[in-house]
Amino acid sequence: MRILLLRTWTTNIGNGFIDYGAKAMLERAFPDAEIVETGGYPNHAADTAALWRGTRKFERMAGRGADYESPTHQIRQNVLNVSELIDADLAVLPGCVLSRPTFRKYFDTLTRLRERDIPIVIIGGGGEEYDEAERKDVEAVFDALDIEVLLTRDRTAYEEYGDLVEYLYDGIDCSLFLGDAHQPPEANREFDVHTFDKGEEPDVDGASTIIRPDHAPFDEPYHFPVGERARELLGLETPLFEAENVFVSDMVTDYLFLYANADVVRSDRIHACLPALTYGNRAQFYFDTPRANLFDRVPIEGDVTSEPVRFDMDELEREKDEQVEALEEGVTTVL
């Protein structure tokens, strides 16, 4: 069996964690399968180009393409995704993809896969807002693409979208399989990690050496702001590179090294906390978002929003085993 793993875009390094974990999950479920990874960055770039054109006054005045947010806009249809050139038995889309932005980017590629009768399975699926508008968008995409297998990453997604599919599992985030994918070496000193790009870094008494990763190592195509510029637009007081021990890398494994070795990870990014917890370390989360509902489905000992906590590692392994079994069962319903 050949499985296409439809990666997203590592403009946010957390997406790389999801992709790494998704591949490890697939390898456990289907050890004899050929897993072919293809990137979603072409779709992301085309989407950004379409949105950028839509903001330009000249383009609007000329009436060139009225709806730049349409998933079928010509700019998005012009892009080629390598998955369209590969025959496969199954396509897997991982992560927090149950949202208009993701389906807007990937819709045309997914449509072309379905036209070749390749089933699409979503694993570790979650939404962004879980409001009525998002529900309508997700429902329309599931109906158009005949998506019948969904393993969610949080209870909210499970309750909101379970009626759309034939096979549903109340699952966990793909990044919780990172330990199966990669084991970083040990660090030669102790440190904490603070990853904040939505709000100001908190003052913590008694913290050891602090390393400050940024999760946006790649500039967005066509001038959409990320990294330093995004922090400026948010009104954050300290520019990233004026703090000590700033870290930016183009390698997912570099970030995993930090999160696997930190004493404590404090962050307003979910996918800074989850890798640390997955490797048995402590983490504390500092942001209010519906995406944080996934913490209700993981074996945390304590409240991750009020203090540094750990996973119950035995319970985590049990959850992973059950997710692998669910993935195997779900795939049998479409093959």
Side-chain angles (χ1 to χ4, degrees):
M1 177 170 61
R2 176 181 285 170
I3 301 173
L4 290 175
L5 175 56
L6 306 175
R7 296 175 63 112
T8 54
W9 31 88
T10 320
T11 50
N12 174 350
I13 207 72
N15 286 10
F17 300 157
I18 292 171
D19 294 335
Y20 263 56
K23 183 178 182 182
M25 189 195 314
L26 288 169
E27 289 174 338
R28 280 181 56 168
F30 308 106
D32 296 326
E34 177 189 6
I35 300 171
V36 180
E37 298 176 79
T38 59
Y41 188 84
N43 307 68
H44 178 66
D47 179 74
T48 309
L51 294 177
W52 179 244
R53 282 199 175 189
T55 64
R56 292 166 58 181
K57 184 177 180 180
F58 174 78
E59 298 282 347
R60 295 198 306 273
M61 291 176 62
R64 294 174 57 183
D67 187 359
Y68 284 93
E69 292 194 16
S70 169
T72 57
H73 189 279
Q74 189 61 53
I75 288 178
R76 296 185 179 88
Q77 290 187 326
N78 285 346
V79 75
L80 173 71
N81 186 289
V82 168
S83 66
E84 301 165 26
L85 304 176
I86 301 172
D87 291 329
D89 301 292
L90 183 72
V92 174
L93 183 63
C96 192
V97 297
L98 306 178
S99 66
R100 185 179 189 188
T102 300
F103 283 138
R104 184 183 67 221
K105 299 172 187 182
Y106 244 124
F107 184 78
D108 198 60
T109 293
L110 297 176
T111 298
R112 295 175 190 179
L113 292 172
R114 291 298 294 127
E115 288 172 349
R116 292 190 287 141
D117 294 323
I118 299 175
I120 298 166
V121 170
I122 295 177
I123 59 175
E128 290 190 1
E129 302 297 334
Y130 296 108
D131 56 16
E132 183 178 354
E134 186 173 79
R135 160 72 191 201
K136 289 181 179 178
D137 289 336
V138 172
E139 184 175 1
V141 170
F142 273 54
D143 183 59
L145 300 176
D146 193 27
I147 296 174
E148 292 294 350
V149 178
L150 172 62
L151 279 63
T152 59
R153 73 170 192 168
D154 59 64
R155 187 64 48 78
T156 308
Y158 176 81
E159 294 173 348
E160 286 290 329
Y161 300 123
D163 62 321
L164 303 182
V165 294
E166 178 181 343
Y167 186 89
L168 175 72
Y169 179 71
D170 184 12
I172 56 177
D173 191 81
C174 297
S175 68
L176 300 186
F177 286 80
L178 279 169
D180 298 75
H182 180 68
Q183 284 295 329
E186 292 187 8
N188 61 12
R189 68 195 72 179
E190 295 182 355
F191 55 84
D192 288 358
V193 168
H194 289 184
T195 303
F196 289 87
D197 58 11
K198 300 180 179 69
E200 298 292 349
E201 178 184 324
D203 292 327
V204 179
D205 293 334
S208 62
T209 298
I210 297 173
I211 297 176
R212 297 175 170 88
D214 184 79
H215 269 220
F218 304 108
D219 192 16
E220 292 276 5
Y222 309 106
H223 314 295
F224 270 52
V226 296
E228 194 84 338
R229 177 61 176 148
R231 295 172 64 86
E232 179 183 340
L233 293 174
L234 284 171
L236 301 185
E237 294 181 0
T238 305
L240 177 65
F241 287 98
E242 291 186 13
E244 293 182 344
N245 298 322
V246 173
F247 178 81
V248 181
S249 175
D250 62 348
M251 294 185 63
V252 170
T253 51
D254 282 352
Y255 289 84
L256 293 181
F257 171 82
L258 295 179
Y259 294 134
N261 281 283
D263 181 36
V264 180
V265 172
R266 299 176 179 89
S267 182
D268 54 16
R269 279 198 172 273
I270 290 171
H271 284 97
C273 295
L274 285 183
L277 294 165
T278 299
Y279 285 112
N281 292 339
R282 295 183 295 161
Q284 183 173 354
F285 183 61
Y286 285 78
F287 191 63
D288 184 17
T289 170
R291 292 187 177 197
N293 294 340
L294 63 80
F295 285 117
D296 296 334
R297 274 293 292 120
V298 293
I300 289 179
E301 300 176 338
D303 181 1
V304 69
T305 63
S306 62
E307 61 180 347
V309 298
R310 294 185 190 274
F311 274 169
D312 179 329
M313 298 303 288
D314 290 337
E315 184 68 12
L316 174 62
E317 287 304 312
R318 186 188 68 79
E319 290 281 2
K320 288 164 59 180
D321 288 341
E322 292 184 359
Q323 178 120 328
V324 168
E325 292 177 8
L327 178 57
E328 294 171 342
E329 184 177 3
V331 167
T332 63
T333 67
V334 294
L335 291 182

